[in-house]
Amino acid sequence: MATLTLQGNPIKTSGELPKVGTKAPDFTLTATDLSSKSLSDFAGSKVVLNIFPSIDTGTCAQSVRTFNKEASNLENTKVLCISHDLPFAQARFCGAEGLDNVVNLSDFKDGSFGKNYGLNFTNGPLETLHSRCVVVLDENGIIKHTEQVQEIADEPNYKAALEALK
């Protein structure tokens, strides 16, 4: 269990992120077209998991914009933006912003992604939502980098995530 903060107030998570060097746990999430997507759908590509509480907050929206911009310059890399938001909200945001270099996926059905990755908040005003995390995988699904942002209102370290892709 990790302890993070929201505006300086402590919030706990359901566990710890998977360790660097291990195989990423598989998952099934819902895409904006309501189809199911699993990690195996992205096999053979490098993958950035951009995980956040809600697309409708400034910091979360900025992380999607930033990774969308960076993804346009990356070869053989998919950026998966994952939250509990409904797929309709994710599609609305990316459509309005003209963002087409990221894949939005929702954990709204059963929350198993957040539970399996140990990143759900277990208390506080954001209870059950995902903490802000970045997990970078190589083409074989091996974890190369993780970051769980300590202050939930802060942006992730984009540079470190992008460096892990090299």
Side-chain angles (χ1 to χ4, degrees):
M1 173 174 351
T3 301
L4 311 173
T5 58
L6 175 62
Q7 299 174 337
N9 298 307
I11 299 177
K12 297 203 179 294
T13 64
S14 58
E16 300 287 334
L17 287 176
K19 301 290 183 211
V20 170
T22 64
K23 183 111 173 120
D26 200 7
F27 54 76
T28 300
L29 296 166
T30 304
T32 56
D33 65 1
L34 302 181
S35 66
S36 293
K37 296 287 183 188
S38 66
L39 184 55
S40 61
D41 291 318
F42 305 96
S45 295
K46 296 176 186 175
V47 176
V48 176
L49 305 177
N50 177 33
I51 308 157
F52 49 86
S54 176
I55 195 85
D56 287 322
T57 66
T59 305
C60 300
Q62 186 57 47
S63 74
V64 174
R65 287 185 200 106
T66 300
F67 277 120
N68 181 77
K69 178 182 175 193
E70 296 297 334
S72 66
N73 300 317
L74 301 173
E75 286 189 37
N76 193 34
T77 302
K78 304 291 184 198
V79 177
L80 311 183
C81 295
I82 303 170
S83 68
H84 270 284
D85 291 299
L86 290 176
F88 314 113
Q90 294 172 331
R92 172 194 41 80
F93 174 81
C94 284
E97 297 269 334
L99 306 179
D100 56 7
N101 294 318
V102 295
V103 177
N104 283 288
L105 299 171
S106 177
D107 193 19
F108 83 100
K109 286 188 178 176
D110 65 5
S112 62
F113 171 82
K115 291 173 191 164
N116 292 339
Y117 276 71
L119 51 80
N120 285 348
F121 291 121
T122 60
N123 67 312
L126 302 178
E127 187 174 353
T128 73
L129 295 180
H130 298 329
S131 59
R132 185 176 321 287
C133 301
V134 176
V135 179
V136 177
L137 314 176
D138 70 9
E139 297 92 333
N140 300 309
I142 302 300
I143 299 171
K144 303 309 257 180
H145 167 81
T146 64
E147 177 189 15
Q148 188 167 45
V149 179
Q150 291 303 301
E151 168 55 52
I152 196 63
D154 291 345
E155 291 182 56
N157 184 340
Y158 303 110
K159 183 177 178 181
L162 296 169
E163 285 292 319
L165 291 167
K166 295 180 179 178

